């Protein structure tokens, strides 16, 4: 039997509507659930006081500080590498086997699961280089993970600067580096910053790669050196969540809600900034 | 006196195609040389070789010689950035950088290391006066160059180029998108400027060449067909192709 | 010119960072993991079903974990691919413009939600539901598949929508002009034309599912066994590494690296296939 095409079309349209609603409901449902359960406990007192009783009581101030240090470290390492790579690819070379190798490397790096980064960071930074479980080891590992994101977004941003600006700069007697530094980079800056912000969002949600490199020590004060071990918010939440102790659940929810909210804010601002930036040149 | 720009048997190939063939042309000091010819005749390529902006096309190669003030611009030791300051260029489409009027003009001097505010102020005023824009923008030097009208933007680009203190001014169809009043202002500026420097004016507009240039060269399909005093060339062209072009039979 | 070359060389040095990192990571994982595989025997390691790392002598067989990763990933694809592709087709072909403009970025933003949050939701809501209504311990292949199936949605949807949108409009117009309905056009013209990109989307989603660790630990029970039903608890390759890393030493640690090597090989193969398919799709 062959169904009439019109009927099939309408039936499929209904099915597509349904699966889309399922997808949206599932994703938004999870976010809404975490926020609803956790946000009421996210008070200034929770954010600005130190954890007590292994995190079951008190706040997350020291964890927030540890997260900040680890992520700022990662960004400080990955930004020069990533932006430098993008400048090389866009301004200093033509397409060749070298650029293909560089892009292939970045693509592969982007595809490596975070647990492998964790494993590598553990042997290489923690043990071989002797950095131990520390903010430094965590930053270095996250920097490697962020590199492909920063390279890719910076490349897009540099390419979106109109070619005419480069010509003008040359015609006014600038060297290539003066052209890059004074004309192209200022033009591409918003896009580059967006990429960095996206990388920050990814790093904040990362668990497997940091748990083996920055360790699980719950700092009882603001970490004071790169060599100190510290949890990130995601790791703190994971440990609270898997303790299976109902006592810790409300702090787990509160931590999760704060983490999700922070990541959403970061991603939304990066996303809108990127769109505004790209629209500027159209 | 030797010509300021001199092409001898000068040819250009891009990706294996000959874009210019055996051009012999000397540009005299303190003249306005108009270059006319249909699209694809190689006139813009010629202009972009004088300041080596053609280098941006990686497959470009040259034969013969092209010299600026006696030195070969394609010799391996050429300091390209310095060359481009000596041969300043204004493009067909007004293209201010996305910054203020003042900063657009200060861009070139700053590259050279000029920091003194007084010196920069002086350069900005002098070049804006020379490009007949000063009176229109003197009260808003720190607003974006992109906020000006098309004709004003092009005069800003001219001022920006003059700030380099070039020996030769390369104008690549500078009035192609402009209204008659702006065009007149740019032509007025050119007449004043030729007292200090030499102007090479590439134009699609035959009438503009007739109005503004002292001598005119006609390019066709990569060949320099003829060059002569503007009056002679337009009234008694030696070559039939020139006659066909200026009388509007093709192009 | 000299300065230009110096800058070019320094930038090339920076540009080598990604490739160097990849090379160093690969070398270290292989160096730490491969010797134990060959000492122990490739066949015994890959196909052994027993994992007793602290026994005397220890037994290292990762077959159960390979089976576990396979089962959970297959389940995740069974849930995530129809829903993901369906949503992508809807968003690109049929959704009212306003709906698509809101939903696509919203779905992409949700890609940033930490996987541990998905795992937590699974633990507290999904697993009890499975235990009560379907039986078994709750933590299971099904639990892992469901959570991963949802987690890969943003990846699958976003890449698929881009693939569908890159099909030239003239293809669709040609089909409509011949009297085809919207669905016929999608099924016979648009989907085949976007095939390469859609396959790449599925493979990248698969890579994400195979590589996910913490969320999976939270919902699959982590028992080393070859799953015999969707309700059996299992352990995946990634969980195996994460669960034992903190206390492993000596040969045991090497065996975890060896598990990493297997994972690494699977992921690299998936990425290469995805890249090739996407490239071929573009060329066609």
């Amino acid at each position: 039997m062959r169904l009439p095409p019109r009927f099939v079309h309408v039936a499929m349209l209904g099915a597509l509507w349904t699966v889309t609603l399922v997808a949206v409901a599932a994703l938004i449902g999870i976010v809404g659930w975490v926020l609803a359960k956790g946000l009421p406990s996210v008070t200034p007192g929770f954010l600005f006081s130190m954890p007590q009783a292994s995190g079951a009581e008190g706040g997350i101030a020291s964890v927030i500080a540890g997260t900040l240090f680890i992520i700022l470290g990662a960004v400080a390492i990955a930004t020069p590498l990533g932006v430098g790579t993008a400048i090389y690819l866009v301004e200093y070379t033509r397409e060749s086997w070298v650029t293909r190798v560089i892009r292939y490397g970045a693509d592969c790096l982007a595809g490596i699961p975070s647990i492998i980064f964790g494993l590598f960071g553990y042997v290489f930074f923690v043990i071989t280089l002797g950095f131990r479980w520390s903010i430094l080891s965590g930053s270095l590992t996250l920097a490697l993970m962020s590199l492909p994101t920063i390279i890719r977004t910076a490349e897009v941003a540099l390419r979106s600067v109109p070619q005419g600006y480069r010509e003008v700069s040359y015609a006014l007697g600038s060297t290539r580096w003066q052209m890059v530094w004074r004309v192209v980079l200022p033009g591409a800056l918003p896009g580059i910053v967006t990429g960095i912000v996206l990388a920050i969002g990814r790093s904040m949600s990362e668990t497997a790669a940091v748990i083996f490199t920055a360790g699980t020590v719950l700092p009882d004060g603001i970490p004071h050196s790169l060599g100190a071990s510290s949890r990130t918010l995601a790791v703190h939440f994971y440990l609270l969540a898997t303790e299976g102790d109902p006592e810790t659940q409300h702090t787990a929810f509160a931590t999760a809600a704060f983490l999700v909210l922070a990541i959403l804010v970061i991603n939304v601002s990066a996303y809108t900034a990127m769109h505004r930036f790209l629209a500027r040149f159209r | 006196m030797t010509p300021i720009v001199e092409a001898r048997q000068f040819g250009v190939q891009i990706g294996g195609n000959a874009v210019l063939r055996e051009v012999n042309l000397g540009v005299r000091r303190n003249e306005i040389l108009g270059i006319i010819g249909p699209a694809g005749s190689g006139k813009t390529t010629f202009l972009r070789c004088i300041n080596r902006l053609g280098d941006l096309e990686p497959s470009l190669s040259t034969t013969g010689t092209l010299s600026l003030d006696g030195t070969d611009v394609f010799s391996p030791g050429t300091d390209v950035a310095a060359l481009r300051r000596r041969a300043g260029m204004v493009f067909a489409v007004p293209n201010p950088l996305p910054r203020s009027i003042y900063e657009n003009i200060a861009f070139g001097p700053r590259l050279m290391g000029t920091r003194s505010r007084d010196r920069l102020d002086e350069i900005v005023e002098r070049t804006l006066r020379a490009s007949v824009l000063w009176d229109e923008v003197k009260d808003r030097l720190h607003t974006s160059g992109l906020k000006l009208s098309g004709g004003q933007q092009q005069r800003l680009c001219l001022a920006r180029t003059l700030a380099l203190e070039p020996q030769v001014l390369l104008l690549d169809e500078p009035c192609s998108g402009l209204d008659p009043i702006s065009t007149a202002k740019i032509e007025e500026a050119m007449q004043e400027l030729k007292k200090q420097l030499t102007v090479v004016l590439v134009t699609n507009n035959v009438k503009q060449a007739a109005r503004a240039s002292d001598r005119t060269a006609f390019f066709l399909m990569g060949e320099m067909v003829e060059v002569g005093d503007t009056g002679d060339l337009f009234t008694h062209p030696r070559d039939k192709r020139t006659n066909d072009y200026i009388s509007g039979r093709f192009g | 010119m000299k300065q230009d070359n110096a800058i070019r060389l320094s930038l090339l040095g920076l540009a080598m960072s990604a490739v160097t990192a990849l090379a160093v990571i690969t070398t270290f994982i292989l160096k730490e993991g491969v010797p134990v595989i060959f000492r122990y025997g490739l066949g015994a390691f890959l196909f052994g079903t027993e994992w007793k790392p602290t026994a005397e002598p220890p037994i290292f067989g990762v077959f159960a974990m390979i089976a576990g990763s396979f089962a959970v990933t297959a389940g995740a694809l069974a849930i995530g691919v129809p829903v993901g592709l369906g949503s992508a087709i809807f968003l690109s072909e049929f959704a009212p413009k306003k709906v698509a403009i809101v939903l696509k970025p919203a779905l992409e933003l949700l890609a940033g939600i930490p996987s541990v949050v998905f795992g937590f939701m699974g633990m507290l809501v999904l697993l009890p539901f499975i235990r009560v209504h379907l039986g078994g311990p709750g933590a299971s292949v099904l639990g892992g598949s469901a959570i991963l199936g949802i987690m890969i949605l943003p990846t699958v949807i976003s890449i698929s929508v881009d693939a569908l949108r890159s099909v030239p409009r003239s293809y669709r117009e040609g089909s409509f002009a011949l009297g085809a309905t919207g669905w016929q056009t999608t099924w016979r013209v648009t989907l085949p034309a976007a095939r390469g990109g859609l396959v790449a989307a599925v493979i990248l989603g698969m890579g994400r599912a195979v590589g996910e660790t913490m969320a999976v630990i939270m919902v699959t029970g982590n028992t080393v066994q070859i799953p015999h039903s969707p309700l059996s608890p299992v352990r995946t390759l990634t969980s195996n590494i994460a669960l034992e890393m903190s206390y492993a030493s000596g040969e045991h640690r090497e065996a975890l690296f060896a598990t990493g090597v297997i994972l690494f090989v699977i992921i690299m193969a998936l990425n290469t296939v995805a890249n090739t398919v996407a490239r071929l799709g573009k060329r066609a």
Side-chain angles (χ1 to χ4, degrees), chain B residues 177-243:
Chain B
L178 304 188
D179 60 281
I181 294 173
S182 301
T183 304
K185 284 190 173 159
I186 287 184
E187 288 174 8
E188 175 193 336
M190 273 168 10
Q191 298 303 331
E192 198 56 37
L193 284 167
K194 75 171 185 180
K195 290 175 189 162
Q196 286 112 45
L197 44 74
T198 309
V199 179
V200 183
L201 168 68
V202 161
T203 178
N204 263 336
N205 180 343
V206 175
K207 284 190 193 125
Q208 182 175 43
R211 256 191 333 257
S213 62
D214 302 319
R215 291 195 308 146
T216 300
F218 173 58
F219 278 50
L220 182 66
M221 294 166 70
E223 211 181 308
M224 207 282 291
V225 177
E226 69 173 287
V227 59
D229 285 344
T230 299
D232 293 344
L233 187 118
F234 279 92
T235 48
H236 307 100
R238 290 188 298 268
D239 196 294
K240 182 175 175 300
R241 293 170 292 175
T242 314
N243 189 35

Side-chain angles (χ1 to χ4, degrees), chain A residues 94 161-179 181-184 186-187 280-281, chain B residues 48 51 53 56 58 81-82 84-85 87-89 91 95-99 104 107-108 110-111 146 160-161 164:
Chain A
R94 274 176 255 145
V161 173
Q163 195 59 30
Y165 290 170
R166 295 184 177 84
E167 281 198 359
V168 169
S169 184
Y170 277 135
L172 293 175
S174 63
T175 62
R176 191 197 303 255
W177 179 249
Q178 286 174 322
M179 180 270 289
W181 186 250
R182 295 178 187 228
V183 176
V184 177
R280 215 176 62 183
F281 290 119
Chain B
R48 290 168 70 97
N51 70 348
L53 213 54
L56 297 182
R84 288 172 183 155
R85 287 192 291 269
M89 175 174 262
F91 297 81
N95 50 9
L97 291 168
R99 52 189 76 189
N104 261 284
F107 186 85
R110 280 193 204 279
L111 290 177
L146 295 168
R160 183 175 69 181
T161 305
L164 307 174

Side-chain angles (χ1 to χ4, degrees), chain A residues 9 85 92 122-123 241 271, chain C residues 8 14 108 123 183 245 257:
Chain A
H9 173 74
T85 304
Y92 274 83
Y122 177 65
V123 220
Y271 202 86
Chain C
R8 179 200 308 275
L14 295 180
E108 279 172 1
M123 256 170 71
W183 174 252
M245 197 64 210
F257 273 92

Side-chain angles (χ1 to χ4, degrees), chain C residues 139-193:
Chain C
S140 57
V141 173
L142 181 62
S145 298
I147 288 302
L148 285 179
I150 298 172
M151 265 179 63
I152 65 172
L153 284 177
T155 312
V156 174
I157 294 175
S158 156
I159 301 174
S160 306
V161 168
D162 290 341
L164 289 167
R165 287 197 180 153
S166 69
V167 174
R169 201 216 302 238
S170 58
Y171 287 22
R172 298 184 182 90
E173 283 168 353
S175 169
F176 281 123
L178 295 172
T181 63
W183 174 252
Q184 284 174 322
T185 302
T186 301
W187 185 248
R188 292 166 191 238
V189 178
T190 316
L191 288 183

Side-chain angles (χ1 to χ4, degrees), chain C residues 13-34:
Chain C
L14 295 180
M16 283 296 148
S17 56
V19 186
T20 312
L22 183 71
V24 173
I25 291 173
T26 314
T27 314
F28 258 79
I29 301 289
L30 293 182
K31 198 188 88 189
E32 296 280 321
V34 168

